[in-house]
């Protein structure tokens, strides 16, 4: 199972995240970050679980420092759930726990 | 994607394996969980060399082998070898390990029948590992709680239904996932935490676990292999190891705020864990830890080669 996750940049943030009519899960990552690469299959798994109910995007923090700064990303990997004007950094890292955490936040 | 190993061609298999065999036998390839090929920062991996790519999709297109399977095979080798830097050698590193572990580097490729569909091998291996975990004779059995054993049994039964073609409702899985999280939360055994975390993380349809499997299996196998060292430890060392595991658990499960930060020291209430996790303690016990690892090496190799044999049997049956 492989899911394509849209890459978002500083330039496309407004369209892909700010104007999204669905909650958005942002995976802040960098290609040199081993834990980020290890988390990628889990993020893809989440995209499959939620289908159209959740938009899953990724942001390369090296190429998009403005977005990382905007969301206060101090370390990666960082998964942030954006629901309208509210953004919450997720603390869990396994798919089972992340789904539980996301479900609780989405109500 | 439909998989047909080596595109059904013995000639393609020979051609691709020829790229790997001589280099692997010369120990010029470094097994790695990720595909490494022609990368300035990393030596080439077996699978990267096989398909001459670092890209998963390209790997699958060129070989007809699921990248998840290649990743799993290389991971098992990584778990059983030691790689050290050796700037004076042509490869720039030395690879040490038992012959049986190193032989797997090409055995898994030799075992693949051209044309075989290997898409279910990782799910079947995941099922094998879960069944092993639930076996009352499993070496960590005393650290598998009754609640966790019940959840594991449910997952196994769901996987069997899935592998026989039945589809399960999302609600059925939600119940199992909830029970798995409760079982993990109530587990107080130092050695049981990573077992419970593994079971909890795989509480999903087995085909969907395939992509994540190595990442989930790695800490569990690491925990299992560490446990094999305990007979070679003194009583005090075994107690220290338990404190270390409880410290790791406290760090991993500490509540975080909305920015993802931990605003307290998770080890504050665990002074013994704090002591054994200090750099001072680690430095002081380094030689002794190395001696224990060396003493347990053959037991670890036996576990790893048994896992390799199980995987080879699945590959050959495809």
């Amino acid at each position: 199972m492989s899911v394509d996750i849209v890459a978002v940049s500083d330039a496309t943030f407004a369209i892909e995240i700010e104007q999204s009519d669905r909650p958005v899960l942002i995976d802040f990552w960098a290609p040199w970050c081993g834990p980020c690469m290890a988390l990628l299959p889990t993020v893809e798994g989440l995209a499959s679980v939620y289908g159209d109910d959740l938009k899953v995007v990724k942001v390369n923090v090296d190429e998009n420092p403005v977005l990382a700064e905007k969301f206060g990303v101090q370390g990666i990997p960082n998964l942030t759930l954006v629901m309208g004007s509210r953004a919450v950094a997720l603390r869990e890292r396994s798919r089972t726990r992340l789904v539980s955490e996301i479900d609780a936040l989405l109500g | 994607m439909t998989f047909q190993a080596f595109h059904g061609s013995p000639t393609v298999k020979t051609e691709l394996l020829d790229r790997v065999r001589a280099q692997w036998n010369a120990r010029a390839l470094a097994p790695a969980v990720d595909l490494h090929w022609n990368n300035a920062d990393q030596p080439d991996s077996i699978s990267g060399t096989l398909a001459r790519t670092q890209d998963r999709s390209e790997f699958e297109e060129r070989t007809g082998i699921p990248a998840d399977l290649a990743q799993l095979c290389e991971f098992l080798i990584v778990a059983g070898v030691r790689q050290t830097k050796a700037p004076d050698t042509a490869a720039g590193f030395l690879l040490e390990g038992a012959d049986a572990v190193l032989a797997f580097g090409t055995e898994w490729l030799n075992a693949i029948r051209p044309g075989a569909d290997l898409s279910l091998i990782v799910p079947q291996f995941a099922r094998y590992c879960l069944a092993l975990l639930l076996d009352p004779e499993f070496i960590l059995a005393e650290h598998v709680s009754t609640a966790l054993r019940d959840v594991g049994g449910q997952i196994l039964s769901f996987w069997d239904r899935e592998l026989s073609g039945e589809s399960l409702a999302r609600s059925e899985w939600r119940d199992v996932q909830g029970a798995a999280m409760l079982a993990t939360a109530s587990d107080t055994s130092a050695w049981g935490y990573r077992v419970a975390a593994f079971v909890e993380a795989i509480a999903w349809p087995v085909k969907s676990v395939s992509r994540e499997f190595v990442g989930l299996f790695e800490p569990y196998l690491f925990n299992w292999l560490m446990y094999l060292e305990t007979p070679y430890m003194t009583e005090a060392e075994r107690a220290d190891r338990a404190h270390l595991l409880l410290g790791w658990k406290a760090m991993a499960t500490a509540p975080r705020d909305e920015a993802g930060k931990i605003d307290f020291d998770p080890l504050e209430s665990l002074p013994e864990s704090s002591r054994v996790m200090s750099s001072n303690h680690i430095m002081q016990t380094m030689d002794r830890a190395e001696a224990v690892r060396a003493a347990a090496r053959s037991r670890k190799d036996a576990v790893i080669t048994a896992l390799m044999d199980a995987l080879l049997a699945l590959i050959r049956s495809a």
Side-chain angles (χ1 to χ4, degrees):
Chain A
M1 180 185 60
S2 185
V3 178
D4 283 333
I5 296 173
V6 177
V8 171
S9 67
D10 291 342
T12 60
F13 161 72
I15 294 171
E16 296 290 353
I17 299 175
E18 211 168 40
Q19 295 167 22
S20 173
D21 54 3
R22 292 177 288 161
V24 182
L25 177 67
I26 313 175
D27 174 17
F28 289 97
W29 72 291
W32 47 262
C33 164
C36 300
M37 305 313 281
L39 190 61
L40 181 60
T42 301
V43 175
E44 290 179 356
L46 287 173
S48 294
V49 169
Y50 287 101
D52 291 339
D53 295 334
L54 180 73
K55 185 172 185 176
V56 182
V57 302
K58 59 185 176 183
V59 172
N60 181 330
V61 294
D62 288 347
E63 295 170 356
N64 303 285
V66 175
L67 262 182
E69 175 74 21
K70 180 178 177 65
F71 286 95
V73 175
Q74 295 178 345
I76 53 172
N78 174 298
L79 297 179
T80 293
L81 183 66
V82 181
M83 302 156 289
S85 58
R86 186 179 175 211
V88 178
L90 302 178
R91 62 189 180 90
E92 302 292 357
R93 287 295 176 262
S94 79
R95 180 157 44 131
T96 309
R97 296 259 162 185
L98 279 162
V99 165
S100 174
E101 189 176 14
I102 292 169
D103 284 352
L105 286 165
L106 295 179
Chain B
M1 178 178 178
T2 305
F3 289 98
Q4 196 186 22
F6 303 119
H7 307 296
S9 164
T11 309
V12 171
K13 176 177 175 177
T14 302
E15 183 190 324
L16 296 189
L17 260 71
D18 280 351
R19 295 175 179 175
V20 169
R21 192 173 291 113
Q23 288 203 71
W24 175 247
N25 290 340
R27 301 290 171 255
L29 302 178
V33 171
D34 298 317
L35 293 167
H36 291 155
W37 166 252
N38 214 9
N39 176 336
D41 301 326
Q42 304 280 355
D44 296 344
S45 64
I46 298 168
S47 305
T49 302
L50 185 78
R52 293 183 176 162
T53 183
Q54 300 203 125
D55 181 87
R56 288 174 58 88
S57 299
E58 279 186 359
F59 175 86
E60 293 180 343
E61 283 164 18
R62 292 175 185 175
T63 65
I65 299 169
D68 299 340
L69 175 60
Q71 191 180 19
L72 174 60
C73 291
E74 297 225 18
F75 164 67
L76 290 179
I77 304 168
V78 169
V81 298
R82 173 184 285 198
Q83 185 180 328
T84 49
K85 286 185 181 174
D88 297 341
T89 65
F93 62 89
L94 284 175
L95 212 55
E96 296 169 87
D99 290 345
V101 172
L102 290 167
F104 188 70
T106 48
E107 268 178 344
W108 73 275
L109 290 167
N110 286 326
I112 297 172
R113 176 180 58 80
D117 177 358
L118 303 171
S119 57
L120 285 180
I121 301 300
V122 176
Q124 288 167 343
F125 183 75
R127 192 218 174 274
Y128 168 83
C129 291
L130 179 56
L132 204 61
L133 186 158
L134 297 173
D135 188 324
E137 299 299 315
F138 180 51
I139 194 160
L140 281 160
E142 66 176 296
H143 301 285
V144 180
S145 68
T146 305
L148 189 70
R149 191 172 294 282
D150 288 347
V151 169
Q154 278 181 291
I155 295 170
L156 200 58
S157 137
F158 280 14
W159 281 0
D160 285 342
R161 287 166 59 188
E162 181 192 348
L163 289 170
S164 68
E166 193 180 335
S167 34
L168 282 90
R170 176 81 183 92
S171 57
E172 290 184 272
W173 275 112
R174 276 188 194 273
D175 290 344
V176 174
Q177 288 154 3
M181 285 191 284
L182 281 176
T184 306
S186 59
D187 199 316
T188 54
S189 154
W191 287 101
Y193 170 65
R194 283 190 169 175
V195 180
F198 174 64
V199 172
E200 179 191 294
I202 59 173
W204 291 91
V206 69
K207 289 178 193 168
S208 83
V209 168
S210 190
R211 173 84 169 90
E212 293 170 86
F213 185 72
V214 168
L216 305 176
F217 188 56
E218 185 176 0
Y220 163 68
L221 179 61
F222 182 60
N223 188 65
W224 178 0
L225 296 177
M226 277 211 311
Y227 190 70
L228 298 175
E229 296 175 1
T230 54
Y232 305 98
M233 293 175 166
T234 65
E235 196 58 44
E237 286 169 340
R238 274 193 286 275
D240 281 355
R241 181 59 60 87
H243 289 307
L244 175 73
L245 294 169
L246 290 172
W248 284 348
K249 177 183 176 181
M251 297 291 286
T253 57
R256 293 164 192 267
D257 63 20
E258 289 204 352
K261 288 182 285 192
I262 303 172
D263 61 2
F264 69 102
D265 178 6
L267 300 181
E268 197 175 339
S269 60
L270 298 169
E272 284 300 288
S273 296
S274 186
R275 176 182 63 80
V276 299
M277 291 172 80
S278 68
S279 53
N280 193 31
H281 179 84
I282 292 167
M283 292 299 288
Q284 282 175 354
T285 56
M286 195 174 280
D287 289 346
R288 177 65 192 144
E290 180 55 38
V292 168
R293 271 196 294 275
R297 190 67 260 168
S298 62
R299 294 186 82 204
K300 294 183 183 182
D301 287 344
V303 165
I304 291 165
T305 51
L307 291 170
M308 288 172 166
D309 288 345
L311 191 51
L312 282 174
L314 291 171
I315 291 171
R316 289 190 181 111
S317 70

